[in-house]
Amino acid sequence: MEFATVHSILTVILFVAFVAFVIWAYSKKRKSDFDEAANLVFDDEPESKKQHSKRESEHE
């Protein structure tokens, strides 16, 4: 095979992979996972610390 043929095949494979990735990223099945990941920045305390601090404030 010539270099141009290999280059063309590789270009088509990478384009198909890109399209597949875009379809995967924007599918409705992934929306809840991405929403959860987007809100991780606001959840900086582990659950055990939140519950512990809540209990302390209730006892005061």
Side-chain angles (χ1 to χ4, degrees), residues 20-41:
F21 179 75
V22 169
I23 290 171
W24 170 80
Y26 286 100
S27 68
K28 292 185 179 186
K29 293 179 184 178
R30 304 294 304 167
K31 181 170 176 33
S32 63
D33 293 335
F34 287 134
D35 287 342
E36 181 182 341
N39 289 324
L40 282 176
V41 77

Side-chain angles (χ1 to χ4, degrees), residues 9 13-14 17 19-20 30-31 38-39:
I9 292 171
I13 291 171
L14 290 175
V19 170
R30 304 294 304 167
K31 181 170 176 33
N39 289 324

Side-chain angles (χ1 to χ4, degrees), residues 38-52:
N39 289 324
L40 282 176
V41 77
F42 301 115
D43 188 24
D44 59 349
E45 291 185 19
E47 285 296 318
S48 61
K49 286 185 180 180
K50 286 181 183 177
Q51 291 173 354
H52 184 65

